[in-house]
Amino acid sequence: TADNRAVIQEAYDYEAALKALNKPYETAYYDNVSHAPGPDSNTNPTVRDDARARAIAFFKKYLLAPN
């Protein structure tokens, strides 16, 4: 929510568009976290790890081909 690259309203709008199109999406908003919660940011490692785990789980759920 402390992103200096993108306006938070754009994320809300994108989320609403996905919902209107009945597309899969998941959101997690982290208070006072900058744009990229990576190892070179000032992000709490717990937030970084949570964001990474959520992204991986989403990609596995929706992008991997079924076995």
Side-chain angles (χ1 to χ4, degrees):
T1 58
D3 194 328
N4 61 357
R5 294 186 197 175
V7 178
I8 191 71
Q9 186 60 50
E10 292 175 359
Y12 299 149
D13 293 346
Y14 190 63
E15 182 179 348
L18 290 170
K19 185 175 184 176
L21 293 170
N22 200 29
K23 298 294 180 180
Y25 71 94
E26 295 178 20
T27 56
Y29 296 100
Y30 303 100
D31 289 331
N32 301 313
V33 175
S34 63
H35 185 75
D40 59 343
S41 73
N42 64 351
T43 301
N44 178 315
T46 303
V47 170
R48 182 192 63 226
D49 293 347
D50 182 67
R52 180 180 295 134
R54 287 173 179 272
I56 290 168
F58 184 88
F59 292 147
K60 284 182 176 179
K61 183 175 181 179
Y62 293 105
L63 298 181
L64 284 180
N67 291 331

